[in-house]
Amino acid sequence: MEVMQVFHMNKGNGETSYAKNSTVQSKIISVGKPIIDEALLEMTCNNVIESMGIADLGCSSGPNSLSVISEIMDKVQATNRHLGRPVPEFRVFLNDLYSNDFNEIFMSLPEFYNRLNEEKGIGFGTCFISGVPGSFYGRLFPTNTLHFVHSSSSLHWLSQVPDGLESNAFRHLNKGKVYISKTSPQSVLDAYSLQFQNDFSEFMKSRSQELVPGGRMVLSFMGRRSADPTTEASCHHWELLAQAIMSLVKEGLIEEEKVDSFNAPYYAPCAEEIKMVIQKEGSFIIDRLEAFEVDWDGGAVSDIHTGQGKLLIGQRVAKTIRAVVQSMLESHFEIGQNAMDDLFIRYADIVGNHLSMSGTKYINLVMSLIKKR
């Protein structure tokens, strides 16, 4: 699977779209907001910036794409006014892979600009927004042009399926699974860890060249507290998806070899793995690194022990996961709309049963980094 070519969130505004099913990602952004505000406050107080370069990496589409940009500009505006300084102009760069639904973002820009003008009024800095397609595991911007980089719910996605686990590999090492699990051999765990280290190292190296000295990054992505990558918090949603897929295999609707040859290009690291890469690259200071628990459905369903609650939370989680992974599943398993609907109905049922008996939550890591001067 060529991740760069096939991977994208579900497009448009339909029932299975990312725009309609990104509550969890919105919750993650809100959890990280105090850390974003703190980084912006320190950077704005310590630097006089006339033209601020801001990049949102892995922006996707839908309501979250511009909401975080609006909040960043609000904080910079408020801080500069408090200091008696003019508000800088904003150069905003929205980045995602080439297959992202940039058209949806661009179509929402007139309303966004109008709202900026109405709410901020005279004295608000001029805002220029551009789309920058491409992988953030490499250079995207000229040298020393960015002041602030934000990325949320993106860096757990790898640039590729780890070496040795590709669909065309000579021998399938992770049979019956779609990601790391309790039964995965150590070679699978090692391959995933190595791929993350290589990718995150390239990410840090690229941003070190693009950010100005003293520039800031706030990164937020799925991770884990334990050194063990097979913990429920880091991989169990994939384990349940594998169960749903295998139920289709048993009925002859999907070939078992297709499951054996699929491994998700995803990795939820622990803090130690992240620190090791940052320290080895050497261009950034870790200002903060914290872990937060996030409900699988974003906290929308409270009573999950009733039949109705179990049904609702299963459906919400299934829609959230489908909006993110459908493009990969379609490409690899070559299944149509009806089979995809069937798969996620089964997944919803499995998830609802699991969450009604277990309080499993995602672990989200949020870090604030400073580019060394």
Side-chain angles (χ1 to χ4, degrees):
M1 176 175 60
E2 293 294 331
V3 175
M4 303 297 177
Q5 278 70 49
V6 306
F7 184 44
H8 59 80
M9 306 297 105
N10 279 1
K11 300 178 181 181
N13 288 286
E15 283 304 305
T16 61
S17 68
Y18 182 78
K20 288 279 182 68
N21 297 286
S22 51
T23 303
V24 172
Q25 291 83 353
S26 177
K27 177 70 174 180
I28 287 169
I29 290 171
S30 68
V31 166
K33 188 177 183 300
I35 296 177
I36 294 173
D37 288 347
E38 179 184 81
L40 289 167
L41 176 64
E42 292 176 1
M43 184 183 68
T44 306
C45 288
N46 294 330
N47 301 274
V48 178
I49 303 171
E50 295 181 357
S51 179
M52 178 176 283
I54 302 167
D56 187 21
L57 306 183
C59 64
S60 189
S61 58
N64 295 337
S65 299
L66 293 172
S67 65
V68 68
I69 295 301
S70 180
E71 290 175 357
I72 288 170
M73 292 194 295
D74 282 347
K75 187 62 179 181
V76 173
Q77 179 195 34
T79 304
N80 275 287
R81 286 186 170 173
H82 179 74
L83 295 171
R85 297 176 186 167
V87 179
E89 69 177 16
F90 297 98
R91 294 173 287 111
V92 177
F93 305 102
L94 302 176
N95 156 261
D96 214 309
L97 295 175
Y98 298 100
S99 51
N100 183 55
D101 193 359
F102 282 104
N103 281 341
E104 194 275 338
I105 300 175
F106 296 153
M107 290 297 289
S108 67
L109 284 179
E111 180 185 349
F112 179 76
Y113 284 132
N114 288 336
R115 193 166 67 249
L116 278 185
N117 193 42
E118 291 172 5
E119 294 178 1
K120 318 305 178 191
I122 298 172
F124 190 77
T126 309
C127 178
F128 305 94
I129 299 179
S130 305
V132 182
S135 171
F136 49 50
Y137 293 124
R139 289 291 300 273
L140 291 166
F141 309 101
T143 303
N144 290 341
T145 54
L146 300 179
H147 296 84
F148 188 79
V149 170
H150 171 264
S151 181
S152 181
S153 299
S154 297
L155 278 159
H156 44 248
W157 294 109
L158 303 173
S159 67
Q160 63 176 63
V161 174
D163 286 340
L165 301 181
E166 305 95 329
S167 58
N168 61 354
F170 177 72
R171 188 163 59 98
H172 300 315
L173 303 175
N174 203 27
K175 291 185 176 183
K177 305 297 178 182
V178 298
Y179 179 60
I180 291 170
S181 75
K182 291 286 187 184
T183 60
S184 297
Q186 186 62 43
S187 60
V188 170
L189 278 55
D190 293 343
Y192 268 104
S193 180
L194 180 60
Q195 186 63 52
F196 170 78
Q197 291 172 46
N198 291 340
D199 281 346
F200 195 50
S201 179
E202 285 300 314
F203 177 89
M204 297 301 297
K205 179 182 176 182
S206 297
R207 304 296 84 78
S208 72
Q209 297 172 69
E210 297 163 351
L211 275 159
V212 301
R216 304 293 295 249
M217 283 204 296
V218 175
L219 312 176
S220 175
F221 50 97
M222 294 298 188
R224 62 184 196 270
R225 286 196 171 102
S226 169
D228 178 7
T230 68
T231 57
E232 274 202 357
S234 64
C235 67
H236 203 61
H237 55 298
W238 291 107
E239 179 72 17
L240 300 184
L241 181 59
Q243 291 178 21
I245 294 172
M246 288 303 293
S247 73
L248 294 179
V249 170
K250 290 174 183 175
E251 295 179 20
L253 300 174
I254 289 179
E255 297 174 20
E256 188 167 5
E257 191 278 334
K258 285 283 189 182
V259 183
D260 295 343
S261 63
F262 180 84
N263 287 284
Y266 171 99
Y267 188 68
C270 64
E272 288 69 28
E273 289 173 295
I274 293 168
K275 289 176 184 176
M276 181 176 68
V277 172
I278 293 172
Q279 290 165 0
K280 185 177 180 180
E281 193 281 326
S283 299
F284 289 88
I285 298 166
I286 301 174
D287 186 41
R288 292 180 67 175
L289 175 52
E290 299 185 15
F292 298 93
E293 289 187 344
V294 180
D295 290 309
W296 280 18
D297 72 326
V301 180
S302 55
D303 189 5
I304 61 175
H305 301 293
T306 64
Q308 182 68 10
K310 184 166 67 171
L311 177 67
L312 282 175
I313 198 167
Q315 291 174 341
R316 286 184 65 89
V317 174
K319 284 184 176 182
T320 300
I321 298 296
R322 178 174 182 171
V324 174
V325 306
Q326 179 168 327
S327 62
M328 290 189 296
L329 299 182
E330 282 178 340
S331 173
H332 181 82
F333 292 102
E334 300 174 320
I335 56 177
Q337 186 71 32
N338 290 339
M340 191 68 68
D341 290 343
D342 188 8
L343 170 61
F344 281 96
I345 288 171
R346 297 174 189 226
Y347 184 56
D349 184 55
I350 293 170
V351 168
N353 285 327
H354 170 72
L355 291 178
S356 69
M357 297 182 292
S358 169
T360 310
K361 299 179 186 293
Y362 296 130
I363 300 298
N364 191 67
L365 302 177
V366 184
M367 65 212 69
S368 178
L369 308 173
I370 307 170
K371 166 79 178 295
K372 292 179 181 177
R373 294 184 182 273

